[in-house]
Amino acid sequence: MQLTAHTDYALRVLIYLAINTEKRVTITELADFFGISRNHLVKVVHKLGVKGFVLTVRGKGGGICLSRPAREISVGNVVREVEGHFQMAECFNPKKQGSCALEKGCGLIGLLGGAVEQFLQTLDKAVLSDLVSQPSAQQFVSLTKLER
């Protein structure tokens, strides 16, 4: 199972925001910290806003912050919302069904479907605050201060 870079960046942004709750964070700050294209992060943050994970404020003093406490944001929900689909093979795509000669007797779709479901169930057990335990959060805050 591999997540897209878009989902990876979305999770990174949310983790950063979960640790930096005392202020609004700018996209430029995130881009500089992670070494990621600012333009790409604009798209990621926009999607997180549309999906209701972050609040965005434009203008002077603007920035982004979590829309609710980190303990209320399910990692599984973030991945589902940002990733979009989990078409592990061509046969998962509804537009391609019937195109494989093995489709009627193949157990691959059931096996891969079960694996994806187990993967998502594991992620559903975690909330964003689980990813930022106190000791690691303190190390992370120290890193962010060194980067500036």
Side-chain angles (χ1 to χ4, degrees):
M1 178 92 237
Q2 184 173 355
L3 299 175
T4 61
H6 196 82
T7 302
D8 177 26
Y9 296 160
L11 290 167
R12 290 186 205 192
V13 166
L14 293 173
I15 290 168
Y16 192 94
L17 295 177
I19 291 168
N20 290 283
T21 57
E22 73 286 348
K23 63 180 179 127
R24 287 193 197 111
V25 174
T26 66
I27 291 175
T28 300
E29 178 182 339
L30 290 165
D32 290 345
F33 181 77
F34 288 115
I36 299 171
S37 158
R38 187 183 185 290
N39 290 335
H40 194 71
L41 279 174
V42 167
K43 295 173 191 172
V44 170
V45 168
H46 175 74
K47 188 165 204 171
L48 288 171
V50 168
K51 298 295 184 177
F53 297 111
V54 300
L55 298 175
T56 59
V57 177
R58 294 182 146 210
K60 186 174 179 163
I64 59 173
C65 61
L66 294 178
S67 63
R68 55 190 180 273
R71 69 181 175 282
E72 296 177 12
I73 299 176
S74 161
V75 175
N77 189 35
V78 172
V79 170
R80 279 185 185 85
E81 291 290 331
V82 176
E83 192 69 20
H85 67 78
F86 293 92
Q87 296 176 359
M88 300 285 294
E90 187 176 293
C91 53
F92 279 76
N93 185 338
K95 294 178 183 175
K96 301 278 185 165
Q97 287 179 347
S99 63
C100 178
L102 296 174
E103 189 173 328
K104 295 211 183 337
C106 179
L108 186 59
I109 196 166
L111 180 64
L112 292 177
V116 168
E117 189 54 38
Q118 290 292 319
F119 172 73
L120 291 171
Q121 285 177 7
T122 298
L123 295 180
D124 286 338
K125 294 175 187 172
V127 292
L128 189 56
S129 59
D130 294 335
L131 306 181
V132 292
S133 64
Q134 283 308 86
S136 64
Q138 291 305 322
Q139 291 171 344
F140 186 79
V141 169
S142 296
L143 275 175
T144 61
K145 288 179 182 172
L146 289 176
E147 294 290 322
R148 294 182 187 150

